[in-house]
Amino acid sequence: MSRYSAITGWGMHVPEQTLTNADLERMVETSDEWITTRTGIKERHVVRPDESAFDLALPAARQALERAGIEGKDLSLIIVATVSYDYRFPSTANLLQHALGAQCGAFDMQAACTGFLYAMSTAHQFIANGSARHVLVIGVEVLSKVVDYTDRGTCVLFGDGAGAIVLSASEQPGGLLGYTLGSDGANPELLYIPAGGSREPLTEEGLREGRQWVKMNGAEVFKFATRVMGTAMEEALANAGMTAQDMDLFIPHQANLRIIDAASRRLGLPQEKVFVNIQKYGNTSAAAVPIALCEAIDQGLVYPGAHLGMVAFGAGLTWAAAVVKWTASVATKPTARRATPITVTGRRS
Ligand code: ACO
């Protein structure tokens, strides 16, 4: 009998503190007008100094387990997608395994902003080959700790957060229907943290030069992203035997509203089928897609039988897309509407 991978639980968590465009205006030479028109971002959530990836991932994971109606001990595997782990080692997944009372394997993986879709596809393999029943998949980032708040080209973009799903084996047709994963490692320096790895261990000189912070060639990443988002989504749809017109909701990586709009146009999608929450969170990297999924569900945009398209791109360069036929019962089909018009006014809580 076939084994399908269904999303049976979902959860999210963002830190309380917000960093608004007005706050950033006081930190670097920028303006609310520039950030809003170039990116769509109004505010992002950022951790306190004593908060880590684990602290964001744990409540998201607990919520996902609760919604799936299972406990930590029922998990077969935990996969955490992150580039802002608690320690170089052990993995954040290890810490979560203990905190959740799970008795299973646990590991971190990274594909930068694409990490969650890589992790979900990996989880699917364990389910499809019969070696896992319930896999907890988490995307979590605390990029505020590796962003240079004197570099206006990057510091306005990123925020912190966590999103989690439980992917469960199911006999009911549906769940993850198709996906694609991509990588082009020709130019890692387009978006990277130069120091702190084995290529360039951190030194006092490196610290002085700020080589521990994110460096990005924004224009090149932008060009790549506008190209790859649409093509990756089309590829995953084709792998599922579908076209863009079959998608009920498009949940793209939330990196830049202009990139999302370009991908949506390429796919021929009307605005009401495109989920956007970048205005509230900025780019939360590996957490962006699962956070968007959670909010789409909470807003009643996801219903049994709905086909969801998810796509992400990130450092590497990497990209991935997935098509999920929703099977869990969450809400009745609502009247179509664009998920979240950009109306948020920034404030620091
Ligand atoms: N405020 C004001 N001006 C700014 C700011 C800012 N925050 N940032 C850059 N500028 C200036 C630049 O210095 C430049 O000025 P100049 O012409 O005098 O040199 C001008 O604005 C235009 O700069 P561009 O880079 O051309 O601006 P662009 O319209 O491309 O927008 C942006 C920049 C938002 C960074 C865009 O390139 C982008 O979104 N790129 C993709 C980035 C991305 O998504 N990265 C995450 C990938 S996911 C992951 O793995 C983490």
Side-chain angles (χ1 to χ4, degrees):
M1 201 181 288
S2 312
R3 275 168 79 89
Y4 297 93
S5 303
I7 296 175
T8 54
W10 55 95
M12 62 170 275
H13 184 77
V14 291
E16 252 177 59
Q17 185 175 239
T18 56
L19 186 64
T20 67
N21 291 352
D23 294 328
L24 285 160
E25 280 176 353
R26 290 188 284 274
M27 295 160 68
V28 287
E29 201 183 323
T30 191
S31 65
D32 173 47
E33 199 266 335
W34 192 96
I35 302 171
T36 307
T37 55
R38 300 296 179 104
T39 72
I41 303 167
K42 291 302 245 182
E43 63 180 350
R44 54 304 278 142
H45 291 245
V46 292
V47 293
R48 296 187 313 261
D50 63 337
E51 284 177 309
S52 71
F54 169 84
D55 297 315
L56 302 186
L58 185 61
R62 287 200 167 124
Q63 199 176 54
L65 291 179
E66 194 185 321
R67 284 180 169 143
I70 62 167
E71 296 176 27
K73 65 177 171 46
D74 302 317
L75 288 170
S76 319
L77 186 66
I78 299 171
I79 309 177
V80 175
T82 186
V83 293
S84 37
Y85 38 73
D86 288 63
Y87 306 110
R88 284 290 294 276
F89 60 85
S91 71
T92 296
N94 284 141
L95 309 180
L96 288 165
Q97 167 271 315
H98 174 72
L100 294 168
Q103 295 140 14
C104 63
F107 62 89
D108 286 2
M109 59 187 285
Q110 73 114 320
C113 293
T114 319
F116 175 78
L117 293 180
Y118 264 70
M120 185 170 78
S121 311
T122 305
H124 168 68
Q125 299 307 325
F126 282 89
I127 289 172
N129 74 18
S131 58
R133 178 143 184 252
H134 297 294
V135 185
L136 178 63
V137 182
I138 301 172
V140 57
E141 298 293 3
V142 186
L143 287 183
S144 66
K145 293 209 181 181
V146 289
V147 161
D148 179 357
Y149 283 97
T150 65
D151 174 9
R152 67 178 183 175
T154 53
C155 74
V156 302
L157 300 176
F158 298 106
D160 303 335
I165 60 163
V166 174
L167 202 65
S168 303
S170 168
E171 307 304 341
Q172 187 187 346
L176 184 57
L177 299 181
Y179 64 88
T180 186
L181 306 179
S183 166
D184 176 1
N187 297 295
E189 69 288 345
L190 287 178
L191 177 51
Y192 77 141
I193 296 178
S198 58
R199 180 172 295 273
E200 185 181 328
L202 253 188
T203 59
E204 274 182 36
E205 194 189 346
L207 279 172
R208 266 196 310 277
E209 289 172 6
R211 295 182 66 75
Q212 71 276 31
W213 306 128
V214 171
K215 312 280 180 213
M216 183 177 74
N217 180 333
E220 283 305 312
V221 174
F222 187 92
K223 275 190 255 167
F224 153 75
T226 47
R227 205 174 53 240
V228 84
M229 289 261 277
T231 52
M233 193 66 253
E234 283 168 346
E235 213 172 290
L237 285 160
N239 291 343
M242 294 165 53
T243 70
Q245 303 321 306
D246 301 318
M247 256 193 299
D248 296 298
L249 189 64
F250 180 47
I251 304 178
H253 178 42
Q254 308 285 312
N256 185 315
L257 188 59
R258 291 184 294 148
I259 296 173
I260 294 173
D261 284 343
S264 309
R265 271 196 307 275
R266 186 195 159 104
L267 293 164
L269 295 172
Q271 274 203 351
E272 62 270 16
K273 284 193 174 185
V274 182
F275 190 82
V276 174
N277 65 359
I278 191 173
Q279 71 280 9
K280 293 192 285 180
Y281 304 118
N283 179 352
T284 56
S285 187
V289 168
I291 286 176
L293 172 66
C294 286
E295 292 210 325
I297 296 167
D298 289 346
Q299 291 176 25
L301 299 167
V302 177
Y303 48 89
H307 288 96
L308 315 179
M310 303 178 208
V311 65
F313 67 91
L317 299 166
T318 55
W319 59 94
V323 183
V324 169
K325 182 178 180 185
W326 193 261
T327 49
S329 95
V330 279
T332 50
K333 186 172 179 176
T335 2
R337 65 192 161 97
R338 183 165 186 154
T340 40
I342 294 177
T343 53
V344 174
T345 49
R347 108 191 121 74
R348 188 185 270 281
S349 58

